[in-house]
Amino acid sequence: MRGEFNGFQSLIVRENSTTYYVHYFAHQLQLVVVAAVWKHKCVGNFFDMISVLLNVVSGSSKRKDLIRDKYKEQVCEALGCGLLKSGTGLNQELALQRPSVNSPKASLNDLRGNGWESVLHEAYVFCDKHDISKLEMEDQYVNPKKPRQKTGITNRHHYEVDCFNDVIDWLLQLLDNRFNEKNSELLVCPAALSPNESFCDFNLEHLMSLAKLYPKDFDDGELRDLRHHLHLYIADVRADDRFSGLSNICELSQIWGDKKHIVYPLVYRLLKLALVLPVATATVERSFSAMRIVKTYLRNRLGDDSLKYNLICYVEKSGMRKVTNDSVIDLFEAMKERRKPF
């Protein structure tokens, strides 16, 4: 994909020099988390044990039924005591939410500086609930592999500094490596157009940086005009009651009537680019996710053409539903004969 000479990225860039390669965001975050976990031996060993436990449980239907019944009893007991609430979407097995783009680095920095005590409290609550012995944080840390060796540090120092802070530092470092400056701008800058809370996220420099990423859409003269238009635009929409109460740029684009797209054509062009960006990246991500469903182990020898046609049918489901059986029959009837007459 990212090959310098024959990769998909280089082939696209040859056709359009202003194309930006944006790797699968969710997959990038997954790689960051996995790499950070396995760099720390203690954390890696913990997930090794979890993996072994999952393999042991999933290998037996009886074990899975026992755990499921036990979990059902705990949920029923918690519902009876009022610790859990019932309702649609509550207490169910759900997939992980899609990662947000609202400054994960800032969240990690805040967690590193102020999150240790809350994590420790949650761990102590979990130990009390399940009758697990707790470590005293001020006692000397004992290395389980070398119990007779004097470490010279406390349990608090080991788990807070050597584990908690180290993993967060590696996460921040890997995030910087995985998400370069242009990718970060493509994620952060469009948020400056959000009308939420009376356009509180409006940032002139972020929007100018976003426009500079599209040199074929904004030349030097238009960039100078865009800065002036943005000053007028933000004052205009903040004073207009119709734009109050909006939460996203999709809603903003729907009420851009009253000739505002004519009054602020450069701002409208920037808004259209911001709307196209998530659609373009999400469509590609979903297409690559669909490849795992279409190109299975039993169909791993599909050629490029067959794979393309299968993916089109799978990804463009809404369009394929419009194709009737009669039109397909007519198409085949109009094709040339495949067999020569005897």
Side-chain angles (χ1 to χ4, degrees), residues 192 194-204 230-244 260:
S194 174
N196 190 29
E197 297 182 2
S198 187
F199 298 86
C200 65
D201 294 328
F202 179 83
N203 188 304
L204 180 62
L230 285 171
H231 279 293
L232 298 176
Y233 158 76
I234 191 61
D236 188 2
V237 295
R238 281 177 173 171
D240 195 334
D241 293 337
R242 293 175 303 169
F243 291 86
S244 61
K260 277 191 167 47

Side-chain angles (χ1 to χ4, degrees), residues 218-231:
F218 297 95
D219 57 26
D220 293 339
E222 289 176 332
L223 285 175
R224 290 192 297 268
D225 294 339
L226 176 63
R227 182 179 291 273
H228 177 64
H229 285 190
L230 285 171
H231 279 293

